[in-house]
Amino acid sequence: MVYETAFTSEDVPAAERFDRWRELVRRAHAPLEADSPHRADFRARVRVLSVGAVTVWPAEFRPVVLRRTPELVRRHDPRTVHVSLPLRGRLRVVREGRADGYGPGSLCVLDTSRPCEMWAGDGDGPYSGIGLEVPRDLLHLPPERLAGLTRHRLSAREGMGALLAQFLTTVAADSARYRPSDGPRLAAVAVDLLSALFAHTLESDHALPPEDQRRALLLRVKAYIRRHLHDPHLSPPAIAAAHHISLSHLHRLFRDEDSTVSAFLRDQRLRRIRQDLSDPALYRTPIHAVAARWGLTDPSAFSRAFRVAYGTSPSDHRQRALARGGTPTAVRGGLMANAAGR
């Protein structure tokens, strides 16, 4: 779903502005300490967009210092990856004794599981940028691999970094044009772009050990699968050919995962179908057409797979999901009639 929370300091008494802003940032990112030389007259604008499983938050505020201390990490870790895209002003981040600077045209990656200290803004000038929060589990990236990625200053002006930056600025610029049901789709795009960016970054380092190279290729393969779910001919041999590796190499990539490549492909397709069947805007689309748009063109095989995965039939899931969402009775009646006709 896409939900938005907005904060403008002008709407709050001056004495409460900084604390209200700090609490909003804590909820969007993670528990942290915050301070600013401008606490007495703090000015900020923040919009927190809940986009499916990820969060996008465009923000502008006067200079601040933010600290994610070891104690705060131990107390609560949301296990998310944070990406900052500075648009105006600079970020200075200290992690494990190392200081790095980021300005417009770059991307800063943070891991909520690791302490850090960050200064945002230059002098008295405001800082503006866009933050992206992605659950770490969606990236299928172990903490030690993520630690290596946070040491890179990623470009937002070329390659996959530019695509991610364009996506973030587009979503932030006009969130009103998206329906609530667009949330899971936008989240999938964000995860795909970030996974592809991380894979490209890992692959560009020729000194990486073999395990890191394997992980980078696996990230790229999973992003490719998610981008091509609509193709009914997508299969392990086709995926292997697209990445110029053997079929046995592809299967070895998934050896330490929770599923095989075929199971990952099937589960991703079923997940997208399940989301679409819950979308009131698609209630007139026949179930077999929803399945076909995600590459499952055999209605009987699809129905069996859906029931095994979710313990219910596709039509029953759609009726319950739309009823929970407040779909009009006439619509639900039409769906039941269509289901009975099938």
Side-chain angles (χ1 to χ4, degrees):
M1 308 295 267
V2 178
Y3 297 106
E4 179 172 340
T5 300
F7 170 82
T8 302
S9 57
E10 285 75 9
D11 297 335
V12 178
E16 301 176 15
R17 291 174 180 173
F18 184 76
D19 289 340
R20 293 276 293 274
W21 169 85
R22 178 176 56 188
E23 183 57 32
L24 185 62
V25 173
R26 282 175 173 171
R27 292 200 303 268
H29 175 54
L32 45 76
E33 296 177 353
D35 203 355
S36 171
H38 306 282
R39 292 183 64 137
D41 186 25
F42 193 69
R43 298 173 189 171
R45 295 175 183 269
V46 182
R47 292 162 49 230
V48 179
L49 310 175
S50 297
V51 182
V54 309
T55 303
V56 177
W57 49 291
E60 179 178 350
F61 45 84
R62 301 191 75 178
V64 297
V65 57
L66 305 168
R67 299 182 182 89
R68 180 96 171 117
T69 66
E71 174 60 26
L72 288 174
V73 171
R74 286 192 296 269
R75 190 183 307 167
H76 178 65
D77 180 13
R79 292 173 53 83
T80 60
V81 175
H82 171 86
V83 180
S84 285
L85 171 66
L87 300 176
R88 178 183 177 187
R90 294 186 61 81
L91 296 175
R92 187 164 67 92
V93 181
V94 177
R95 288 166 290 203
E96 299 175 351
R98 169 178 167 168
D100 297 293
Y102 305 85
S106 64
L107 293 163
C108 171
V109 180
L110 299 173
D111 178 3
T112 59
S113 298
R114 294 178 179 270
C116 72
E117 189 169 31
M118 180 168 63
W119 286 262
D122 296 321
D124 290 334
Y127 169 85
S128 66
I130 303 174
L132 170 67
E133 310 285 341
V134 178
R136 197 167 67 209
D137 291 344
L138 294 182
L139 297 171
H140 306 282
L141 196 64
E144 61 273 15
R145 310 295 178 230
L146 181 57
L149 286 163
T150 60
R151 291 191 285 268
H152 287 267
R153 184 181 291 102
L154 305 178
S155 174
R157 293 196 170 114
E158 60 185 17
M160 300 307 303
L163 290 177
L164 178 60
Q166 182 181 19
F167 169 80
L168 293 176
T169 53
T170 300
V171 171
D174 189 12
S175 60
R177 65 181 175 177
Y178 300 109
R179 302 194 307 265
S181 56
D182 289 326
R185 303 183 186 96
L186 293 173
V189 173
V191 171
D192 286 352
L193 289 173
L194 190 57
S195 295
L197 174 61
F198 284 172
H200 174 81
T201 303
L202 289 170
E203 289 173 337
S204 66
D205 189 344
H206 300 294
L208 282 173
E211 175 56 25
D212 283 357
Q213 295 177 26
R214 187 195 75 85
R215 177 60 58 175
L217 179 56
L218 180 61
L219 283 173
R220 187 153 56 89
V221 166
K222 287 185 173 181
Y224 178 88
I225 290 173
R226 286 191 289 260
R227 288 196 305 273
H228 293 84
L229 293 174
H230 62 279
D231 182 359
H233 301 295
L234 187 66
S235 63
I239 295 166
H243 292 83
H244 309 289
I245 59 177
S246 68
L247 184 58
S248 60
H249 188 173
L250 176 65
H251 287 306
R252 285 197 300 273
L253 283 176
F254 281 80
R255 183 175 52 202
D256 296 329
E257 300 298 300
D258 292 333
S259 66
T260 64
V261 60
S262 295
F264 180 81
L265 171 58
R266 182 190 63 247
D267 292 347
Q268 290 294 309
R269 280 175 163 159
L270 291 174
R271 183 177 301 179
R272 301 296 177 86
I273 294 168
R274 187 170 184 258
Q275 291 170 353
D276 281 358
L277 292 179
S278 303
D279 186 350
L282 298 176
Y283 75 89
R284 293 186 185 277
T285 305
I287 289 176
H288 68 84
V290 173
R293 74 193 295 181
W294 292 110
L296 295 182
T297 56
D298 183 334
S300 297
F302 154 67
S303 294
R304 287 194 299 271
F306 192 96
R307 187 179 290 275
V308 169
Y310 300 116
T312 186
S313 70
S315 58
D316 286 347
H317 167 76
R318 172 180 260 182
Q319 291 171 25
R320 286 197 298 270
L322 297 182
R324 287 195 301 270
T327 305
T329 302
V331 171
R332 294 201 299 273
L335 286 173
M336 294 178 69
N338 289 340
R342 288 195 299 274

